[in-house]
Amino acid sequence: MARVASRWRTRAPATVAAVLALLVLACLVALASVRVAPSTVWADEGTFLAMAESLAHDGDLRFDSADLARLEGAEPARASLILQRTGEGVHYSKPIVYPLLAAPFVRFAGDLGPIVLNLLALVAALALALAYLRRLARRGDADPGLGGLVLVTFAGAAVVVPYALWRMADSLQFSLALAGMVLVAAQRLEGSPSRGRLEAWLAARAAPHVGVVALALLVPLRVNNAVLLVLPLGAAALARRPRRLLALVGTAAATLGVAALLSVALTDSINPYRAPRTSFTPTTGYPAGPDAAQALERFDRFLARHHTELDDVAEPRRVAYAAGYFVIGRHTGLLAYFPAALVFLGIALAAAWRGVRQRRLGQLGAADREDGALADAVTLAALAAFGGAALFLVGWKPENYFGGDTFLGNRYLLPAYPALLVALPRLPRPRVLAAAWALAVLAYGSALVSSARVDALGAAPTSQAHAYAGLYRWLPFESTAQPIAGTRDRYWAGQFVRFTDPYAKVDRGSFELVAGRPAAELSIAHWQEVETIRLLAVPQLPPGHGARLVVRDWRRTQTIELPTDGPTTLDLGLSPPWRYHRFWFEDRPFHVRALRLALEVDGLEDSIEGSEHDASRPRVRLVYLGAPGTAVGAIAHDLQSIDLPPSPVAGTTSSVRLRVKNASARVWDPDDSTPVTARWRLARLSPEGAGSVAGEWVADGDRIDLTTRVGYGEEVEIVLAVTWPAESGRYRLEVDLVLEHVAWFGDVLGAPLWSGEVTVEPSG
């Protein structure tokens, strides 16, 4: 019995690791099953795939007629391509390392070639990391099986494996970084026995140089990856090994030089991110074929976005916001997407502090200081590399630090993540790893529930379906980021309104809530001090069913009974803003509220219906009217000219042209929830000419929408089709603007836009 127990203890970490690995793969398969297989690849992904195809079939990276012919009708379809123009013509405009490696696989496996490359590179890097962790375990007299448990935690309790299914360089960057850092960190195991071929490679004298080559290849893929070279170079410097430092610098420089020469040879530029480049789509045309001239012209209009100067570092407040999202953001936060990173970071920081403190206090002997010098140097250098990468992401371009709207988590962090693994001076205990898995289980479970719920609702599946419900929904939405899939931004009633999920059906100037669906989430930003917002509710309810609008914010819940006999105006009290935001407009801070609105109907089952059943379900349409006290801010105008027909004839229709300047503080937007429209009306004057008969408007016209957005100081031409009465005589024509759902301009300003006497001539 004792022998069995001993054998179980020996095998327990490896057994747990295998079970966890199977569970992670099962969760990933389940998440993938509730999404539609991509029939279209987007900008970066489509460009990398097209580059690999060009190398595989044409042997170059020029974009010419052969590329155009290959892309027409390609499957999967290419939503867009990123191209650049140089003195040698038009080329693809993405780094060359990934397509060079993917081209052989594309040649034999077609559009699945990049995925095959990603999977092979990932497996190879994880195998190398496993050998390193087993050797580290034996050095610390720990169970070698613990190395497998640490590796499964590192890869499984983080967004690592899914990226192998994207046909782009992020998964390869992670694999190169992991392999390179492991080969460099193996220096700390000098003198330890090695078992097996992989561990022998780690112990080879050339291992650090091979690791530096892998890390240097990351720089052409994304220039900010250069900070990861701090690991090998910093470790050699901190360990006071100048010869190794110089040799590693030479290896890195040689690798970068070869990569630069290849880039120039294939694309005529060293850095595609600084070349004149832009995106082209099948709709707008690629820069080849009959529309070549128009397509190439776009390069000239787009040059301003690509230059050789360094970008400015973001302002401190924006960096602070981005740092918060970096940790707890709904779409990018370490807490949700890299829970293992938080655990490994804590362990490494504690070990680094303990080592530094012991040396300062002189608590280590000479032998211990000598043995531990390189080990501590690797830990400190790895932490510096990860910290530098994180600081770059949140401090340089925080509006794009997570990489875009169709990805999972912070893809730009993937190359830096392995630094936390090699920063560990020793393997953590299983109970410590359990903390990472506790967070990961919550994340996986919430993602499964959210994706399944979105699928049951019939909403369009996206890569962000995991964040529309469950625990993710309670994390803050990244307002500093570029648009995220599912986000719909509006400027309604002079205020910024952002819908952050698929549960509200957003139309022009309004949105709709359907009973049985989850609450719709929206963020509202005001630059004024606002305590109330107004909604126009138009319910569509079955007879005899009571209904309520339930509104929640961070402080309270409001329940408002809805009438069943027609539209009604609702005033919602607002809790204090949960934050102040300067990033939508730089000259003034915005007060931000996050609201969740749901429709509850008596007697309705709580079951969720798919979109094909929504037409029969109760609903309410809500028109956002903004803050009652600030709505009139759009009411100010300056009439520039009016063109009236000289002698209108009874019973005919004439065009009245007006030119109006917007003198208000708000944009007149036809798509606003409170748009500005124009209208005319006629009143018959008394025969004596004393004026119009009160209240006797004899004709009016439909309200005319503005044809374009009109900003402050801008002018718009309004053409009104006025139908003159059948009876000739003297009339008063009044033309005015209307702020829909709010007021006539004339009622607020005291006079209409134009009012005057018109004589209508008899017909015939």
Side-chain angles (χ1 to χ4, degrees):
M1 190 69 179
R3 181 178 299 177
V4 173
S6 176
R7 183 173 299 175
W8 167 249
R9 285 193 298 269
T10 302
R11 294 182 177 178
T15 303
V16 173
V19 171
L20 287 173
L22 290 175
L23 289 176
V24 168
L25 291 176
C27 286
L28 293 174
V29 170
L31 284 169
S33 67
V34 296
R35 296 197 179 102
V36 176
S39 58
T40 300
V41 292
W42 302 90
D44 286 11
E45 193 177 6
T47 304
F48 276 124
L49 177 57
M51 291 175 74
E53 290 172 338
S54 183
L55 284 169
H57 300 291
D58 304 334
D60 60 38
L61 288 177
R62 290 178 178 272
F63 188 91
D64 52 27
S65 58
D67 295 85
L68 180 63
R70 186 167 49 250
L71 290 172
E72 291 177 344
E75 294 184 2
R78 313 301 152 80
S80 61
L81 291 180
I82 303 174
L83 304 173
Q84 67 183 25
R85 185 180 64 182
T86 68
E88 299 297 323
V90 178
H91 296 79
Y92 293 98
S93 190
K94 278 292 177 181
I96 65 167
V97 174
Y98 184 71
L100 276 173
L101 296 175
F105 298 94
V106 169
R107 182 71 178 178
F108 297 103
D111 64 272
L112 295 178
I115 297 177
V116 175
L117 169 64
N118 293 343
L119 290 172
L120 291 177
L122 181 62
V123 169
L126 291 175
L128 200 61
L130 180 59
Y132 166 80
L133 292 172
R134 285 177 173 173
R135 193 174 172 196
L136 184 62
R138 285 194 297 272
R139 182 182 178 91
D141 296 325
D143 183 350
L146 183 58
L149 183 57
V150 171
L151 184 65
V152 171
T153 303
F154 167 74
V159 180
V160 169
V161 180
Y163 267 99
L165 303 181
W166 267 266
R167 299 177 180 89
M168 53 194 303
D170 294 285
S171 183
L172 179 67
Q173 289 186 63
F174 170 83
S175 300
L176 286 173
L178 178 59
M181 291 181 184
V182 163
L183 289 167
V184 170
Q187 302 172 79
R188 72 188 333 158
L189 304 177
E190 290 179 353
S192 300
S194 58
R195 300 179 185 178
R197 183 171 298 178
L198 284 178
E199 292 190 22
W201 287 352
L202 291 172
R205 295 188 62 181
H209 293 275
V210 177
V212 167
V213 170
L215 294 175
L217 287 176
L218 295 172
V219 180
L221 286 166
R222 192 172 293 132
V223 67
N224 55 287
N225 287 334
V227 72
L228 301 181
L229 289 171
V230 167
L231 174 55
L233 305 183
L238 290 172
R240 298 180 180 179
R241 301 194 176 184
R243 291 185 179 179
R244 174 174 289 181
L245 174 60
L246 290 175
L248 295 179
V249 169
T251 300
T255 304
L256 293 173
V258 170
L261 290 174
L262 283 173
S263 182
V264 171
L266 290 171
T267 67
D268 198 36
S269 67
I270 295 178
N271 184 359
Y273 294 108
R274 294 298 175 181
R277 63 199 292 261
T278 190
S279 297
F280 296 90
T281 69
T283 303
T284 60
Y286 296 115
D291 297 327
Q294 293 86 341
L296 289 172
E297 183 185 357
R298 279 195 293 274
F299 281 115
D300 296 325
R301 298 201 305 267
F302 212 65
L303 283 176
R305 289 191 54 183
H306 298 277
H307 46 77
T308 57
E309 294 82 6
L310 292 177
D311 298 322
D312 294 333
V313 177
E315 63 185 40
R317 290 188 180 184
R318 183 173 295 196
V319 173
Y321 272 118
Y325 294 128
F326 186 80
V327 178
I328 61 172
R330 181 183 306 181
H331 298 272
T332 65
L334 294 179
L335 185 67
Y337 298 95
F338 294 89
L342 298 175
V343 175
F344 287 2
L345 179 61
I347 296 172
L349 287 173
W353 171 250
R354 186 166 53 251
V356 171
R357 189 168 180 271
Q358 287 177 341
R359 277 172 168 72
R360 285 184 175 179
L361 297 176
Q363 294 176 351
L364 296 177
D368 292 333
R369 287 196 299 271
E370 181 65 26
D371 291 341
L374 188 53
D376 288 346
V378 170
T379 295
L380 292 173
L383 287 173
F386 180 83
L391 182 61
F392 184 96
L393 294 176
V394 301
W396 196 266
K397 289 188 176 181
E399 72 280 359
N400 190 32
Y401 74 91
F402 70 103
D405 60 359
T406 60
F407 304 103
L408 296 173
N410 190 332
R411 70 185 179 101
Y412 287 169
L413 185 65
L414 282 172
Y417 178 46
L420 296 181
L421 182 68
V422 301
L424 299 175
R426 61 186 62 84
L427 299 187
R429 298 177 181 179
R431 68 181 64 179
V432 177
L433 299 177
W437 281 109
L439 295 174
V441 166
L442 292 175
Y444 275 117
S446 178
L448 286 169
V449 169
S450 178
S451 295
R453 195 167 199 184
V454 171
D455 185 63
L457 286 168
T462 74
S463 62
Q464 306 303 318
H466 66 281
Y468 289 144
L471 298 177
Y472 281 86
R473 205 164 185 216
W474 294 100
L475 297 175
F477 188 91
E478 286 88 335
S479 60
T480 59
Q482 292 180 339
I484 297 173
T487 301
R488 288 158 290 183
D489 293 347
R490 303 288 187 274
Y491 287 91
W492 283 348
Q495 295 156 5
F496 177 86
V497 180
R498 165 177 279 176
F499 293 86
T500 62
D501 58 35
Y503 300 132
K505 296 184 176 180
V506 184
D507 292 324
R508 178 179 175 182
S510 64
F511 61 101
E512 187 176 76
L513 304 180
V514 178
R517 283 187 165 237
E521 182 183 34
L522 59 151
S523 296
I524 303 173
H526 317 261
W527 64 269
Q528 310 99 325
E529 291 288 349
V530 172
E531 297 180 354
T532 305
I533 60 170
R534 179 168 292 168
L535 302 172
L536 175 65
V538 185
Q540 301 176 32
L541 305 173
H545 285 71
R548 295 162 299 282
L549 180 67
V550 180
V551 184
R552 293 182 174 90
D553 59 20
W554 69 274
R555 173 177 283 188
R556 62 177 173 173
T557 299
Q558 301 175 70
T559 302
I560 304 170
E561 295 292 332
L562 294 176
T564 59
D565 55 355
T568 185
T569 300
L570 308 175
D571 286 341
L572 303 180
L574 299 177
S575 297
W578 73 279
R579 62 187 173 87
Y580 295 88
H581 195 74
R582 288 182 174 271
F583 310 149
W584 288 304
F585 294 94
E586 296 181 358
D587 58 340
R588 55 193 178 190
F590 268 59
H591 311 281
V592 183
R593 273 97 171 180
L595 300 179
R596 291 187 176 126
L597 299 92
L599 176 64
E600 293 184 356
V601 179
D602 293 336
L604 181 71
E605 296 181 1
D606 292 332
S607 60
I608 298 176
E609 299 283 349
S611 60
E612 64 273 16
H613 304 299
D614 284 349
S616 62
R617 298 183 70 83
R619 64 196 63 231
V620 60
R621 178 156 297 282
L622 299 172
V623 181
Y624 184 83
L625 304 182
T630 63
V632 296
I635 299 179
H637 58 66
D638 185 3
L639 180 62
Q640 301 296 297
S641 64
I642 181 168
D643 183 12
L644 290 169
S647 299
V649 178
T652 64
T653 299
S654 303
S655 293
V656 176
R657 297 179 178 273
L658 304 96
R659 192 154 197 86
V660 184
K661 178 186 291 186
N662 179 3
S664 75
R666 271 178 47 183
V667 175
W668 297 345
D669 191 342
D671 293 325
D672 198 348
S673 59
T674 55
V676 173
T677 61
R679 191 174 184 181
W680 62 270
R681 55 185 179 177
L682 282 166
R684 187 175 180 86
L685 296 176
S686 63
E688 294 79 12
S692 63
V693 178
E696 293 189 8
W697 296 100
V698 297
D700 60 8
D702 295 332
R703 298 183 184 185
I704 303 300
D705 295 333
L706 302 185
T707 58
T708 185
R709 298 174 78 251
V710 186
Y712 170 75
E714 296 178 348
E715 297 180 5
V716 62
E717 185 179 63
I718 302 173
V719 181
L720 301 173
V722 178
T723 300
W724 306 105
E727 185 178 350
S728 61
R730 296 169 54 250
Y731 292 84
R732 180 160 66 90
L733 173 64
E734 180 178 293
V735 178
D736 202 3
L737 302 179
V738 183
L739 185 61
E740 295 292 341
H741 307 297
V742 179
W744 289 77
F745 277 42
D747 292 342
V748 176
L749 301 176
L753 178 64
W754 185 87
S755 179
E757 180 180 326
V758 177
T759 299
V760 178
E761 303 292 340
S763 61

